[in-house]
Amino acid sequence: MDFVTVGGKNISRMSLGTVQLGMNYGINNTCGQPDEKKSFSMLSAALDNGISSIDTARVYGNSEEVLGRFFSQYEGNLPYITTKIPDVTAFEPVQIEREIIRSAETSLEKLGLKKVDNLMLHAAKNLIAYGDRIVPVMESLVKRGLTDTVGVSVYTGEDIDNMLCYDVFTSIQVPMSIFDQRLIQKGYISRLKERGVTVFVRSVFMQGLFFMDPERFTDRDLIDYAAGPIRKIREYAEREGMTVAELAIAFIRDLDGVTSLVIGADTEEQVRSDIRHFQSRRISEKTLDDIRKTFENVNIPKIMEVLSRPKN
């Protein structure tokens, strides 16, 4: 596993996403939430095979608690840990500072830690609405030693524009994939690199959508907006002699300015498989060019509507 050194700490190019440890998540997840024994096996497999970065959040069910219990019995070096403060929209402006601090302290308690490496706002809209209130309290969390860095989890270029107005935020999590190249096309990844921002990328597999059989889709939106692009991904993967996972990983992994890809898993074997896929070679320039052109106008909002529906 390759690493990027940030602030004297080695962040593996693959970060383990842990939303699946806390809740039933992912359109292609047929296993459900793993029990604690399986969760511990997944975490051990990740850390024993070179992953040094773990991503979680307060809103990922009981993910932080599972991690805390794992860390309490783990004898190796702890990984770089990112967690996130939930949306504070429901609170009055005068309550926001208290709620952010309370959330950070609760996360640390659940994780069994005195501080985390990276603490993010989970809802970028909070920064847009309450920036003048939120920024000072995020700065205070660093000064108090509760986290080494703070950042923002975003969805859009507008979110990034707003985040870059504040120097305190030195990390970001963005959605990108072969389907979703909007932030690349508009130059945002280049801008983040120029600012020295640590860039974590989520949704590389679009919650497992890339691995579903388009011939078996019954949802009208998936048939209309995802089936054709998935067939093209399979075509390009076959051309390159790669699996779909290897193609999806390599496309984002090799972008200049990307620090780490946040990839979740449902089983220990998936963790090991993703680590193997991460060692794949680079994609040829011809296929890269075809990928950029083919998926330039995929209807991401329509696909995300499907992925956002509650699982039964």
Side-chain angles (χ1 to χ4, degrees), residues 20-195:
Q20 288 95 333
L21 303 190
M23 59 199 299
N24 189 10
Y25 177 83
I27 191 171
N28 199 37
N29 178 2
T30 59
C31 304
Q33 181 184 350
D35 60 27
E36 190 160 290
K37 182 179 179 180
K38 291 179 180 178
S39 295
F40 281 19
S41 295
M42 292 166 64
L43 291 165
S44 294
L47 298 183
D48 292 346
N49 286 278
I51 291 180
S52 66
S53 174
I54 289 181
D55 177 89
T56 187
R58 283 285 313 286
V59 299
Y60 292 169
N62 66 334
S63 174
E64 288 181 329
E65 291 96 325
V66 172
L67 287 169
R69 289 191 289 273
F70 175 79
F71 294 148
S72 70
Q73 53 86 57
Y74 183 64
E75 296 181 353
N77 295 325
L78 291 183
Y80 182 99
I81 299 168
T82 297
T83 192
K84 307 177 197 76
I85 293 166
D87 184 2
V88 295
T89 301
F91 299 99
E92 295 295 327
V94 295
Q95 299 175 303
I96 287 175
E97 177 178 358
R98 182 192 66 194
E99 290 304 319
I100 289 176
I101 293 172
R102 184 184 66 82
S103 176
E105 292 175 340
T106 299
S107 286
L108 291 174
E109 180 181 353
K110 292 179 182 297
L111 290 165
L113 303 173
K114 293 183 178 179
K115 75 171 182 179
V116 291
D117 300 282
N118 187 30
L119 185 61
M120 290 186 166
L121 295 174
H122 211 153
K125 64 183 180 180
N126 292 161
L127 186 61
I128 294 174
Y130 309 116
D132 291 343
R133 290 183 178 272
I134 287 176
V135 170
V137 67
M138 297 300 285
E139 290 174 330
S140 75
L141 295 176
V142 177
K143 291 176 181 177
R144 290 178 55 189
L146 302 186
T147 183
D148 288 331
T149 59
V150 292
V152 187
S153 179
V154 308
Y155 284 93
T156 68
E158 180 186 7
D159 293 337
I160 297 175
D161 288 333
N162 193 59
M163 183 201 115
L164 290 176
C165 292
Y166 304 99
D167 291 338
V168 66
F169 298 113
T170 58
S171 66
I172 194 168
Q173 189 178 113
V174 301
M176 284 198 304
S177 67
I178 285 178
F179 278 11
D180 188 0
Q181 302 179 40
R182 293 171 294 179
L183 298 180
I184 307 167
Q185 295 161 350
K186 295 179 181 179
Y188 281 104
I189 302 306
S190 296
R191 286 179 59 194
L192 291 167
K193 181 191 175 185
E194 290 171 3
R195 283 284 294 269

Side-chain angles (χ1 to χ4, degrees), residues 219-231:
D219 185 283
R220 189 72 249 174
D221 286 336
L222 288 183
I223 293 171
D224 289 344
Y225 301 108
I230 289 175
R231 293 187 188 102

